[in-house]
Amino acid sequence: MKKTLRWVALWVLSCLPWLPAYAQMSSGAPDGGGHPWWQHAVFYEIYPRSFADSNNDGVGDLRGIAAKLDYLKDLGVDAIWISPCFPSPQVDFGYDVSDYENIDPMYGTLADFDFLASEAKKRDIHIILDFVVNHTSDQHKWFLDSKSSRTSPYRDWYIWRDGKGPGQPPNNWVSTFGGSAWKFDPTTDQYYYHFFYPEQPDLNWRNPAVKDAMFDVTRWWYKRGVSGFRLDAVDTLFEDPNLKDNPIRKPGKNAFGDPFEENKYNGKLPEVHDVLRGLRQVANEYDAVLIGETWTADVAELNQYYGKGNNELQLPMDFLFTMVNKLSPAEFRKQIAAVDAASGWPTFVISNHDIVRSYDRYGDGKHNDQIAKLMAALYLTLRGTPIMYYGEEIGMKTTPPTRQEDVKDPIGRKGWPKEKGRDGERTPMQWDDSENAGFTKGTPWLPVPPTYKTHNVADESKEPDSILEFYKSVLKLRHTNSALLNGDYKAINESNTNVLSYLRVYQDQAVVVSLNMTDTPQNIDLELKPNGFTSASGLLATGKSAAKGDQVSLEPYGVFIGELHK
Ligand code: NOJ
């Protein structure tokens, strides 16, 4: 397996098996076709530090995003998820929030947010914010008060415990970012718990005051025009109150030198679902969507996050899809079928700010651009909601630092050289071939990868065969073709080991998608008759890939998307 998910993989491997929940399709305010808005929307994750810098300080900002809304609209994006842009000491680049109801000055002001929201609304683009629910920054006023004394009214907002003895933390739990998950605080002579960095103390969700305050945060943003939240690290909201030691999963040490623990007593506790149900009730009042950062071991576990009767998350992300780490029709078929049979609406992701970009995971070094189109054709034509990651549409490459002194992500600083951190997938957006790829006129916070000369928005917009133009074509088709919007998924040619093919069927309309996952040309018989069709005609294809009757010829890594005829 290529180094895809790094620290995340440790977490997934420690998942507990969960009982499946069987539930109905999700509800929500339907659009014309009877679907809630988020089922037909294409989402796009923006890492705000790296998207567009309007004031040339080297860091992206909200005004920068606002200036790119026309680009996003033209691309085919309906909702942007902005990774945390709240005030933060930036220890974990915004995933350490010190005020949930404001904007970090490096990104702008609340007035800039309101401007962005109104500009987005004019273009029918929804805004989704990132809600860091598990922990705050250690500089949040709640934590500063909590640590000030054992009798602080905020003491119980976090998890404070006595050590087992002098210099000994309360139990063996290790932080997923390395070292003990407990930090000793000499002021009050107790330890506090942090699943992530010590600067990210875990909130105590067993305290009703925490729940009320955090639920109010969501209301505050909904009233400001936000259409939903991506919920960060929901798996880790609760801990066993008796703080039992975690079992060791296997011998040896991870990249941080810590034992491989199973997160039996500090991950995926059933109480998580009470919180998700509550957050969903609030979201329903605003027709909002909840997306989950849900690292699940299998679809039964994913079903837990939809909740009974779909009363929890509408869009728990299926990261198992990102773990299909080679172009294998059989493996993709298996995973798609599993998610398609899940108890809620599928959510597909191929890249994000924590994992190696799909361009590198699937690229073979020779056909990377064709493969990028193939992957787009795959996940943007499935039944479900796709969440894109900025730069994916132009073939941005993961470009990790080569020298330890250049590393910005604390995971990389701590884990170097085994763990180089996540800087590589967070480099500035490549807008054109001018200096710094048009991202900033200042010094970019991370270096711009050399590929900006060949892979950038301006040049690709002029090149009909570019990855960007292909994304636009697929997204246009997806938005206008009712079989792609509403159709069922049906696998065909299931024994083919080279080509992944499937139908999307809606009433009497159907679309076929055929994807050649090899570097040699392939000819296939679509076997349409058993499905009630006789021929296919092209809607979108790469290169010379084409259909004749029910036969399709595909170029190496070729894509064919066609309409079926009776
Ligand atoms: C998951 C986020 O995606 C990641 O970037 C962050 O470091 C951790 N949660 C902690 O908030």
Side-chain angles (χ1 to χ4, degrees), residues 419-449:
E419 169 56 70
K420 292 193 170 57
R422 299 164 290 179
D423 294 351
E425 48 265 23
R426 299 173 174 183
T427 58
M429 177 70 177
Q430 298 168 190
W431 293 106
D432 57 39
D433 70 355
S434 69
E435 202 181 356
N436 300 326
F439 163 71
T440 181
K441 291 196 169 58
T443 305
W445 77 284
L446 279 178
V448 174

Side-chain angles (χ1 to χ4, degrees), residues 7 92 95 132 135 177 196 200 230 232-233 293 353-354 422 426:
W7 59 272
D92 191 15
Y95 284 97
V132 187
H135 48 269
F177 286 170
F196 297 97
Q200 295 167 299
R230 175 266 191 186
D232 183 68
E293 193 208 9
H353 63 284
D354 290 327
R422 299 164 290 179
R426 299 173 174 183

Side-chain angles (χ1 to χ4, degrees), residues 128-139:
I128 308 298
L129 291 182
D130 206 319
F131 192 25
V132 187
V133 275
N134 176 70
H135 48 269
T136 68
S137 159
D138 64 347
Q139 299 305 307

